[in-house]
């Protein structure tokens, strides 16, 4: 068994079988999904070439989960926007933005779970359930989470995908400076929002 906190190597063979070198057992994509949920770190290597194929395997896990009945999490509008960023000049900032957004969301979710646990231990009066402090806290937490994702989507919308239409005439130096200033303000506002969520 690997030591706690140690990164486990998963080897993928040509027959698509996955072998966990930490437990010396064959595993499935579902097993890897459970490892992720438990916070266990692993990398996936091609058994023949030694190439790191962790990214495509994790993407495959998401694809499998999204196709299970009732488990789809990624909204169609989000998927369309994400696809539009491939090949766009802003593609390089998207991974970092998504990573920071998900880290902030994960921290918020821990507070949400704590509030749910508190609610579960409190006797519930069906007539007064919405007036209970834990319920109000949960509602506020949900509102903040939704606000964060709406801000993220607005941030994405600020950078439209490249099109095949002819480029417009060069903007004047003043217009370019104003556009740059507006862009900087949008980025600063988003960073301020993320910083407040990370506290």
């Amino acid at each position: 068994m690997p030591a706690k906190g140690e990164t486990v190597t998963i080897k993928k063979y040509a027959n698509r079988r996955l072998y966990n070198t930490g437990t010396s057992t064959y595993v499935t994509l579902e097993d890897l999904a459970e490892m992720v949920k438990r916070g266990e770190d692993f990398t996936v290597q091609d058994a023949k070439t030694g190439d790191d194929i962790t990214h495509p395997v994790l993407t495959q896990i998401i694809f499998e989960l999204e196709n299970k009945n009732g488990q789809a999490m990624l909204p169609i509008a989000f998927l369309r926007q994400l696809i539009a960023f491939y090949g766009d000049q802003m593609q390089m900032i998207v991974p970092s933005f998504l990573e920071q957004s998900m880290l902030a969301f994960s921290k918020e979710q821990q507070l949400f779970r704590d509030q749910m646990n508190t609610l579960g231990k409190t006797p519930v009066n069906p007539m007064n359930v919405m007036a209970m402090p834990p319920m109000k806290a949960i509602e506020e937490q949900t509102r903040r989470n939704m606000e964060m994702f709406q801000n993220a989507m607005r941030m994405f919308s600020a950078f439209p995908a490249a099109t095949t239409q002819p480029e417009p005439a060069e903007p004047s130096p003043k217009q370019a400076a104003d556009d740059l200033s507006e862009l900087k303000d949008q980025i600063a506002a988003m960073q301020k929002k993320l910083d407040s969520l990370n506290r």
Side-chain angles (χ1 to χ4, degrees), residues 155 183-193 195:
M155 179 74 170
L183 180 61
K184 286 180 179 177
D185 289 344
Q186 289 175 348
I187 292 173
M190 196 62 214
Q191 186 61 53
K192 184 177 179 181
K193 180 68 177 173
D195 289 344

Side-chain angles (χ1 to χ4, degrees), residues 63-165:
F63 176 79
E64 296 286 339
L65 291 173
E66 283 288 307
N67 279 288
K68 283 189 175 179
N69 289 336
Q71 284 203 177
M73 277 198 308
L74 303 177
I76 289 177
F78 173 81
L79 292 172
R80 289 183 192 277
Q81 187 67 65
L82 197 58
I83 290 168
F85 278 116
Y86 282 95
D88 186 85
Q89 60 183 355
M90 301 307 297
Q91 179 178 342
M92 62 182 184
I93 72 165
V94 173
S96 175
F97 180 78
L98 287 176
E99 184 175 19
Q100 291 303 314
S101 297
M102 288 306 295
L103 285 173
F105 183 75
S106 294
K107 289 178 181 178
E108 293 289 304
Q109 287 307 99
Q110 186 54 53
L111 178 57
F112 183 82
R113 289 187 188 100
D114 292 344
Q115 291 165 347
M116 286 298 288
N117 287 337
T118 300
L119 180 62
K121 294 173 184 174
T122 305
V124 178
N125 178 345
M127 301 302 293
N128 276 330
V129 69
M130 295 307 292
M132 294 172 60
M135 184 58 76
K136 290 294 183 187
I138 291 169
E139 288 175 2
E140 174 64 15
Q141 193 65 37
T142 302
R143 186 194 63 75
R144 288 173 60 194
N145 288 343
M146 288 303 297
E147 183 180 278
M148 185 185 76
F149 277 113
Q150 287 167 353
N151 286 339
M153 292 305 289
R154 278 197 291 274
M155 179 74 170
F156 284 155
S157 299
F159 306 111
T163 67
T164 56
Q165 297 176 354

Side-chain angles (χ1 to χ4, degrees), residues 24-63:
S24 300
T25 58
Y26 285 99
V27 293
T28 64
L29 290 176
E30 290 81 6
D31 295 327
L32 296 186
E34 288 303 318
M35 289 175 69
V36 170
K37 292 174 183 178
R38 291 194 301 266
E40 298 176 24
D41 193 20
F42 62 83
T43 59
V44 185
Q45 293 180 357
D46 184 294
K48 185 176 181 181
T49 65
D51 292 343
D52 187 328
I53 56 171
T54 307
H55 187 279
V57 169
L58 292 176
T59 305
Q60 186 179 0
I61 291 171
I62 292 172
F63 176 79

